[in-house]
Amino acid sequence: MKLLCIILAVMSWVVESKNSVSCQGTPPESCSAHYSCSYQKGTVRANDVATLQLTSLGGITIEGVEVYMRSNKSAGAGVLTLKVNGQTVVTKSGTFKDWTGDYDNENFHTIPLLSTAVAGAQEMEIRLEGIENSLYIEKYVISYTPVAPRTVTLFYGAREWEQLTEAQGGAGVVLPLVSDTANWYFAGWSDSDFGSSTSKSHTLYAAGERFYPSADCSLWAVFAWQPLKEKGYLIDLQSGTYLYVNSTSNQALSGVPLEGKMAAADVDNKNLNLHYYVHFTDAQTAYITHVATGTPIGYSGTEMAATASAWQVYHEGDQTLFYMTYENKTYVLWLNIQDKTETTTYAGLLPATPGTSPMHLQYVQTTDENYYTCHPEWAQGMDRTAEDQSGVQDKARFLMHLGQYDLLLINGQKMIHQR
């Protein structure tokens, strides 16, 4: 026959002043205490209140609670309340004589509060409210069963990376730092496993901080990535919202046509007046629309006009230049044309031959949010999605998140979707 041996620990909180206690014994590693008395030290008169609050107990089992008190020579009454995890466990109301058999203004007596063990304690509160002058608190003595050390299993992507076990139950573990990858930087640890996400609903635990598990559990390394930087230029032609920029002057097309001209402004991804939706009908032709107003950006003769016009496209690498032809001459959409007085500049049509230039379509980054993932091994911002309805394995799909766009890859073919 095996005997079950339960090892009890005891912590004693001695009242030192009206707002402090000192600890004797062995409290849980992470435990902290707060004490307050509305009068002085441990003295509780009628309508006075003394409260001891213990937090970060780590899920211990409370076996016993005792308050050491004395009274006046012939009086003293109050209400003792014990709460665990915010719930009232015991209320003890009466006179000191009811509790001990007689009044005593010289010796401290033990007032027991708990008759049945309470498991899973994370926090507790012992409150004494005075009814009749006076009661005096010397100390609080709590016996408990410590929790067993818990193990945290750390995952890096899909593989188990490391196991950390508490030195003692409730001591917590210090979370390690993970190295950044080529495309992702380490952001912290999560108690849930997820693919690519912009959600901030995931709680992240920082490396170097102490984590207190309530049971054996797993944590996943979380990595972050901001896919679109300030100078992310379009390389593969795809319809979408962009800034039309000159990388030399660091200016972008702005607004809508007015009296045959347009304006340019400093590049600012968040300036909605610089956002244009470019629809490519093919690699050589595009239509441009001002996103904020829905105004088409086109031309009439050699002047800018609010009309849907087919622009010709010169594109090489990350360079993109729009131009049109009028009476056998080519005119490029340029941002800094001097007027006849040579005192001001404007954006409009400039007689020129399309070719190498500083003109680009710059991705619009409308948010500062990062993308987060527990799986950097899935490639930059990429999720494996469900197979199509045919279930054929070689038709696997991947989804790449690019700012406000989703790029769907199916058998190497690209399809872009604006969110």
Side-chain angles (χ1 to χ4, degrees):
M1 179 179 180
K2 292 184 178 180
L3 296 177
L4 181 62
C5 181
I6 300 177
I7 300 176
L8 291 182
V10 177
M11 51 178 162
S12 178
W13 299 92
V14 180
V15 177
E16 300 291 351
S17 71
K18 66 176 296 180
N19 54 20
S20 68
V21 288
S22 62
C23 185
Q24 299 173 354
T26 54
E29 181 78 16
S30 58
C31 176
S32 61
H34 175 75
Y35 172 78
S36 65
C37 181
S38 58
Y39 184 47
Q40 59 185 19
K41 201 173 180 181
T43 303
V44 178
R45 307 166 302 176
N47 301 317
D48 286 332
V49 176
T51 305
L52 174 69
Q53 295 175 312
L54 302 179
T55 57
S56 300
L57 294 173
I60 62 175
T61 297
I62 301 173
E63 305 287 351
V65 176
E66 298 172 335
V67 184
Y68 283 66
M69 289 192 294
R70 64 178 176 84
S71 66
N72 284 351
K73 188 173 183 179
S74 59
V79 179
L80 277 166
T81 303
L82 170 65
K83 290 184 177 181
V84 178
N85 298 339
Q87 301 297 315
T88 299
V89 176
V90 175
T91 299
K92 195 181 191 81
S93 177
T95 67
F96 190 79
K97 183 177 180 179
D98 293 334
W99 297 339
T100 66
D102 204 352
Y103 295 105
D104 189 341
N105 66 339
E106 295 182 356
N107 304 299
F108 289 99
H109 295 252
T110 302
I111 311 297
L113 276 185
L114 192 64
S115 58
T116 303
V118 180
Q122 300 292 341
E123 58 185 38
M124 65 183 296
E125 176 185 287
I126 305 170
R127 173 188 171 95
L128 174 62
E129 182 176 355
I131 296 176
E132 178 183 275
N133 294 357
S134 284
L135 297 171
Y136 306 85
I137 303 172
E138 178 194 24
K139 62 183 176 180
Y140 306 82
V141 178
I142 300 151
S143 58
Y144 66 96
T145 303
V147 296
R150 291 146 178 166
T151 296
V152 179
T153 302
L154 303 178
F155 283 86
Y156 185 117
R159 66 183 177 87
E160 184 177 316
W161 190 58
E162 188 178 354
Q163 284 193 333
L164 304 175
T165 301
E166 294 178 296
Q168 66 181 70
V173 296
V174 177
L175 298 177
L177 180 68
V178 179
S179 298
D180 298 339
T181 73
N183 297 316
W184 297 87
Y185 67 86
F186 177 67
W189 296 91
S190 169
D191 57 9
S192 61
D193 180 13
F194 58 90
S196 187
S197 169
T198 57
S199 173
K200 292 185 177 180
S201 62
H202 300 288
T203 300
L204 297 185
Y205 303 99
E209 293 187 356
R210 190 168 290 274
F211 172 71
Y212 298 96
S214 58
D216 289 348
C217 65
S218 297
L219 295 178
W220 285 263
V222 178
F223 295 83
W225 174 55
Q226 195 173 64
L228 300 180
K229 302 304 179 184
E230 288 296 319
K231 297 193 183 303
Y233 300 138
L234 179 70
I235 295 177
D236 295 326
L237 293 183
Q238 298 285 347
S239 298
T241 301
Y242 304 97
L243 279 67
Y244 184 57
V245 304
N246 183 317
S247 59
T248 300
S249 64
N250 198 37
Q251 288 198 312
L253 186 67
S254 177
V256 299
L258 180 65
E259 297 181 353
K261 300 176 181 178
M262 289 185 66
D266 292 339
V267 172
D268 180 359
N269 257 313
K270 299 181 179 63
N271 184 349
L272 299 182
N273 207 35
L274 311 185
H275 294 187
Y276 296 89
Y277 185 80
V278 181
H279 174 64
F280 291 98
T281 57
D282 53 45
Q284 289 78 41
T285 310
Y287 289 83
I288 305 173
T289 303
H290 187 240
V291 174
T293 62
T295 303
I297 306 299
Y299 46 84
S300 177
T302 58
E303 295 188 334
M304 300 298 297
T307 184
S309 303
W311 291 92
Q312 297 176 71
V313 179
Y314 176 87
H315 180 75
E316 182 176 350
D318 63 359
Q319 301 174 32
T320 303
L321 178 68
F322 297 115
Y323 69 99
M324 50 81 74
T325 302
Y326 182 73
E327 294 183 349
N328 296 321
K329 284 187 177 181
T330 56
Y331 295 79
V332 298
L333 179 53
W334 204 249
L335 301 185
N336 52 337
I337 304 172
Q338 287 189 333
D339 67 0
K340 293 180 180 179
T341 67
E342 297 185 352
T343 58
T344 61
T345 60
Y346 64 93
L349 293 169
L350 177 71
T353 300
T356 301
S357 74
M359 304 305 297
H360 309 268
L361 284 178
Q362 180 173 309
Y363 289 116
V364 171
Q365 185 175 336
T366 58
T367 176
D368 292 328
E369 285 186 336
N370 288 333
Y371 289 114
Y372 297 94
T373 185
C374 295
H375 293 278
E377 74 274 16
W378 288 355
Q380 183 167 293
M382 185 178 290
D383 295 336
R384 184 186 298 273
T385 67
E387 297 173 8
D388 65 7
Q389 293 180 355
S390 68
V392 178
Q393 184 63 37
D394 63 1
K395 291 187 177 181
R397 300 181 177 191
F398 295 87
L399 183 65
M400 181 178 292
H401 307 290
L402 301 171
Q404 61 180 322
Y405 304 100
D406 292 330
L407 179 61
L408 188 64
L409 307 179
I410 307 176
N411 283 343
Q413 300 299 311
K414 301 174 183 176
M415 296 177 63
I416 197 164
H417 170 70
Q418 184 176 8
R419 293 194 222 103

